[in-house]
Amino acid sequence: MNTPQKALVLVDGSDRSLMTVDYICSMPMFKPMKVVLYHVFTNVPESYWDLENEPSSIRAFHELRAWEKLKRGQIEEFMETARHRLTAAGFTNDTIGIKIHNREKGIARDILKEAQSGYSVVVLRRRGMGQLEGTSMGSVAAKILTRLTFLPIQVAGRKEWNYKILIGVDGSDSAVQAVDFVAENLGNDECSIGLVHVIRGFANVSPDNFKLMISAQDVEGAVEKMNQHFTELKGKLVAAGVKPENISEKIITGSYSRAGSLVTEAECGNYSTIAVGRRGHSKVQEFFMGRVCQKVVQAGRYHTVWII
C-alpha cells in the first residue's frame, strides 16, 4: 500500500486562514492526501520566567501567562473549526493532522524545518493576522517563497477555484515540471488549461535591461520554437487525461513585464490559478524567473499561484 502524500497547510488562526482551509476543501487534488494544519505558536519566552520570582514583576508575569493561555485556547479552537470544515468536505479524521508547534528559531525557520519532514506541497496565504489592508504579502510568506526551494508551493488566493489554470511557460525544465505537476494532480478533473509564453520586448525598457529582452529579428524563431514546445507539453497533458479541446496555447510578444502579462491574461481569461516554474534555464533566467514568481504572487493578489 502506497503512503499517501502530505500537504503542509500553514495557518495562523485568522479568518484568512479559514479561507485557506476552504481552498483545501475545494481542491480535488488534496482529497487523497494527508492534510496537516500547522501553526507556529509564540509562547512566553523563557527569559520572562524569572519575573515570577520578583515581587515587583509578578503581576506582569501572570498577565503574560494569561495571554499565552488565551492565545493557545484560540488556536486550538480554530483548529477544531478547521477540522470540522475538512470533514464536512469529505476528509476523514485519519487524513487530518494538527500540529501546534512552540516557536523555536523563528516562524519562517520553524516552518522550513517542518517542510523537510516528508511533505509533497506547502500551502499558505499571502497575508495573515495583523497584516495591513492593501499590502500584498506578509513577511513570513515572503521568507517562505524565497527560502523554500525544495517543494511546490501553493499561495491560496481569494478567487474561487473554477477548474481553469494558466501555466506560464518559458522553455525551462522548471516550467516543464510545472506542467507535469498540473498533469499529475489535475489531469482527470475536467480542467481547462492555458499554456502561455511571454516574450519581452524593447518598448519603454532602459538599456540596462536589454540583456533580458529578445530582439525583434529573433521573435519569429522564438515563436516557432515555442509552438513546437507547446505541442510536447500538450501531449503530456492529454496523456494525463486532459481533453485536447480544453487546452489552449498563447504567445504574448513585446511585453514589458512577464509577470504583469501573465496576471493580465489570467484576469482576462477568468483563470482562478496561475502556475509558474521556480527557475529559468540559465543563471540569469533563474534569478529573473525567481523575480517573476514573486511578482506574480504580488500582482495576482486575488489568484491562487502555484510555484513549482
Side-chain angles (χ1 to χ4, degrees):
M1 184 176 178
N2 293 330
T3 302
Q5 292 183 315
K6 289 198 303 180
L8 179 61
V9 183
L10 309 181
V11 295
D12 66 358
S14 65
D15 289 341
R16 292 190 181 95
S17 283
L18 280 179
M19 293 169 65
T20 305
V21 175
D22 290 338
Y23 166 72
I24 297 294
C25 293
S26 70
M27 287 294 295
M29 65 172 288
F30 292 110
K31 294 300 171 65
M33 295 187 185
K34 179 170 183 179
V35 174
V36 179
L37 304 175
Y38 185 80
H39 174 75
V40 179
F41 181 76
T42 302
N43 51 8
V44 176
E46 291 185 19
S47 57
Y48 286 91
W49 290 1
D50 290 339
L51 292 176
E52 188 178 22
N53 300 319
E54 299 179 13
S56 60
S57 303
I58 191 168
R59 180 178 178 180
F61 173 80
H62 286 303
E63 288 177 349
L64 283 171
R65 281 298 194 189
W67 172 88
E68 179 183 303
K69 184 177 181 180
L70 173 65
K71 292 299 180 182
R72 182 170 286 276
Q74 289 175 343
I75 194 62
E76 289 174 348
E77 182 179 353
F78 170 90
M79 290 297 196
E80 286 308 308
T81 299
R83 185 200 297 274
H84 289 318
R85 293 200 182 193
L86 288 168
T87 54
F91 291 85
T92 59
N93 283 320
D94 60 339
T95 62
I96 303 170
I98 291 176
K99 286 191 176 183
I100 301 175
H101 167 81
N102 288 334
R103 179 174 175 169
E104 295 175 358
K105 295 183 178 181
I107 296 176
R109 283 183 289 178
D110 289 353
I111 289 170
L112 290 170
K113 182 179 179 181
E114 177 67 21
Q116 298 176 46
S117 305
Y119 292 93
S120 55
V121 63
V122 175
V123 183
L124 70 157
R125 208 159 199 90
R126 289 169 176 81
R127 296 182 292 140
M129 187 181 296
Q131 294 294 328
L132 297 175
E133 288 296 332
T135 59
S136 59
M137 196 177 350
S139 60
V140 172
K143 290 176 182 177
I144 296 300
L145 291 182
T146 302
R147 301 175 187 176
L148 201 157
T149 60
F150 51 89
L151 285 176
I153 300 173
Q154 295 189 13
V155 185
R158 293 187 180 185
K159 193 172 178 63
E160 186 177 352
W161 167 248
N162 63 2
Y163 289 86
K164 295 191 67 176
I165 181 167
L166 181 149
I167 308 176
V169 178
D170 68 348
S172 67
D173 290 341
S174 186
V176 173
Q177 290 171 4
V179 174
D180 288 339
F181 184 86
V182 172
E184 179 182 352
N185 290 285
L186 298 175
N188 295 314
D189 290 315
E190 297 296 326
C191 290
S192 294
I193 296 173
L195 303 174
V196 178
H197 176 62
V198 181
I199 298 176
R200 302 193 80 194
F202 286 95
N204 300 318
V205 178
S206 68
D208 292 340
N209 289 328
F210 277 2
K211 63 183 178 179
L212 298 177
M213 308 300 165
I214 184 170
S215 63
Q217 59 264 35
D218 291 332
V219 168
E220 185 176 344
V223 168
E224 181 179 353
K225 184 176 179 180
M226 183 51 60
N227 280 326
Q228 294 174 356
H229 189 48
F230 277 156
T231 300
E232 298 172 2
L233 298 179
K234 187 173 181 179
K236 287 175 174 284
L237 294 167
V238 172
V242 182
K243 295 178 180 178
E245 61 269 25
N246 288 348
I247 305 171
S248 64
E249 308 103 38
K250 185 172 185 178
I251 297 175
I252 300 172
T253 60
S255 171
Y256 173 66
S257 167
R258 278 183 175 177
S261 294
L262 290 174
V263 172
T264 298
E265 185 64 24
E267 291 172 346
C268 293
N270 192 33
Y271 292 93
S272 62
T273 304
I274 304 171
V276 291
R278 184 179 276 110
R279 299 176 178 88
H281 48 67
S282 72
K283 289 186 177 179
V284 170
Q285 287 172 331
E286 180 172 333
F287 168 75
F288 186 55
M289 198 61 191
R291 290 177 58 202
V292 170
C293 291
Q294 293 196 38
K295 288 182 178 180
V296 168
V297 171
Q298 292 170 348
R301 55 188 301 178
Y302 295 108
H303 293 84
T304 293
V305 178
W306 295 0
I307 302 173
I308 313 300

